[in-house]
Amino acid sequence: MDNHYLLGIFVVMGVATFITRVLPFVALTKAHNHPLLGDIGKLLPPMIMVVLVCFALTSLEIESVTRVGLSVLCLTVVIILHYFFRNPLLSILTGTGVYVIGVQGLGL
């Protein structure tokens, strides 16, 4: 392929990405104080967490009883940390870390 063709592809992809990122802000400039957007802003993070948890639990491969126990332990750790600290990043990273340590480090 010609280098100019590849450069053109990258420019088009960059412009398309920029437009898709800027368009919501431009389209919603007059509606930024609307109560519906405030409600969506409050409800969206917990909804995303529920979807992630459901996806993680449905795609879980249960090979043994110890793997089920490890999964329940990690889910409990995530729930407890999120209940007390209300920090999604902390609870997700800690739960993932406990699971990785259990699978890789302890061989569960």
Side-chain angles (χ1 to χ4, degrees):
M1 279 191 198
D2 187 21
N3 287 339
H4 296 298
Y5 180 73
L6 287 175
L7 182 62
I9 289 174
F10 287 133
V11 168
V12 169
M13 287 188 322
V15 169
T17 302
F18 182 76
I19 288 172
T20 58
R21 299 294 190 259
V22 169
L23 189 62
F25 294 104
V26 172
L28 298 175
T29 54
K30 295 183 181 178
H32 71 280
N33 288 331
H34 196 275
L36 179 63
L37 290 178
D39 292 340
I40 289 173
K42 286 187 283 187
L43 294 175
L44 196 59
M47 290 171 25
I48 291 172
M49 289 280 291
V50 167
V51 168
L52 288 173
V53 168
C54 290
F55 176 74
L57 292 177
T58 57
S59 65
L60 186 65
E61 295 181 13
I62 300 173
E63 298 146 359
S64 64
V65 176
T66 57
R67 185 64 61 95
V68 173
L70 178 62
S71 301
V72 170
L73 172 71
C74 294
L75 183 61
T76 306
V77 166
V78 169
I79 290 170
I80 289 171
L81 283 176
H82 192 71
Y83 180 76
F84 285 112
F85 295 107
R86 302 275 188 223
N87 188 342
L89 186 61
L90 173 70
S91 57
I92 290 171
L93 288 178
T94 305
T96 303
V98 170
Y99 188 79
V100 168
I101 290 170
V103 171
Q104 298 292 329
L106 304 175
L108 298 178

